[in-house]
Amino acid sequence: MDLSIVVPIYFEEDNIRPLYDAITAALAPTGLQYEVICVDDGSGDNSFALLKELAATDQRLRVIRFRRNFGQTAAMAAGFEAARGAVIVPMDGDLQNDPADIPLLLEKIKEGYDVVSGWRKDRQDTFINRKLPSMIANGLISRLTDVHLHDYGCTLKAYRREVLDGIGLYGEMHRFVPALASRIGARVTELPVRHHPRLYGTSKYGISRTVRVVLDLLTVKFLLSYATKPIQLFGKWGIYSMLLACVTGGAMVYMKLFANTSMNRNPLLILTAFLMFMGIQFITLGLLGELNARTYYESQGKPIYSVRERLNEPDDYV
């Protein structure tokens, strides 16, 4: 299988047939062996019935139906797990992504990239509640992850299959896959893609989603920088806190000896005790994080490295 296209579907009954026709038209000239995996994320309309009807006429269309709405990230995770293609391309089911851009993404993959991220350069959305929050989020994500993309929120991307192996998706983490892939040394690039205004249905995104994205960004930053060494994060702040406690404690003793200031009336006593306690807590948290990290990697046999390729390996290499 050359290509798997993963499409989360949620209340998109008016878009399903035009989307199927557009994908078929875009990929017919390529001669690729492909499949389309539509994940019905608990739609309450006629979406699943339409998908079932189309799947009966085309074996390349596979349908996964959730029992209830689990969210876009869960739908994409289910599609990724079911995909059989060497390259996996997720896209939205609202016809705002253009299937005609898929061959362009695949050409970039052939150039040696592992991840090709779509960039909605001429985005057809409202500015205040869609474009502006997205611009702020993209700048923040790029700065914290050091993977600089204009449009993390664009669903249309292309991934080599092996890049997605071992990447767990939770919360709103699907938008951070390029950053997570960079952790294992994936080559990431960006490609401008077309973006169309929504013709049918209503958007499921709002400005409130920005808060969830920021919270998930903290998780991604931790995974990228400290997943295998949490003591380096928490222990560092623990040491800083204890050093500051020594400074405030020294100042308190100095005030007692040379300024005749009563220690039990000096607020530095409480501050010193608080900083020392906080330092111990940070270090303890770091040690517990180290134990959890070792349990995670060793119990599942997960390596802490990623190999791109091997040359001249012996047949009995394990």
Side-chain angles (χ1 to χ4, degrees), residues 9 16-17 20 38-40 45-59 61-65:
I9 298 292
I16 287 174
R17 194 174 296 276
Y20 169 80
C38 290
V39 183
D40 181 8
D45 60 358
N46 204 36
S47 294
F48 179 73
L50 291 171
L51 290 170
K52 186 176 181 179
E53 180 182 331
L54 290 171
T57 63
D58 189 348
Q59 293 298 310
L61 176 61
R62 301 168 59 195
V63 181
I64 299 172
R65 187 184 190 187

Side-chain angles (χ1 to χ4, degrees), residues 117-119 133-154 157 175-180 182 188-190 213-214 216-218 220-221 224-225:
S117 181
W119 171 19
S134 180
M135 290 168 59
I136 295 172
N138 288 324
L140 188 60
I141 296 169
S142 295
R143 183 176 180 83
L144 290 182
T145 64
D146 205 30
V147 180
H148 298 280
L149 298 176
H150 289 88
D151 193 359
Y152 270 91
C154 181
K157 295 179 173 68
R175 69 185 65 248
F176 299 112
V177 172
L180 294 171
S182 73
V188 181
T189 190
E190 193 171 38
V213 171
V214 171
D216 280 333
L217 177 57
L218 297 177
V220 171
K221 177 58 179 177
L224 292 176
S225 301

Side-chain angles (χ1 to χ4, degrees), residues 230-231 234-235 279-292:
I231 191 64
F234 298 108
I280 294 172
Q281 289 285 82
F282 269 126
I283 293 174
T284 302
L285 188 60
L287 292 173
L288 291 175
E290 288 286 326
L291 291 176
N292 284 332

Side-chain angles (χ1 to χ4, degrees), residues 248-268:
T248 57
M252 179 182 61
V253 172
Y254 176 86
M255 293 170 69
K256 170 64 177 177
L257 295 178
F258 299 99
N260 197 28
T261 302
S262 176
M263 293 181 66
N264 63 349
R265 294 183 180 180
N266 193 334
L268 288 180

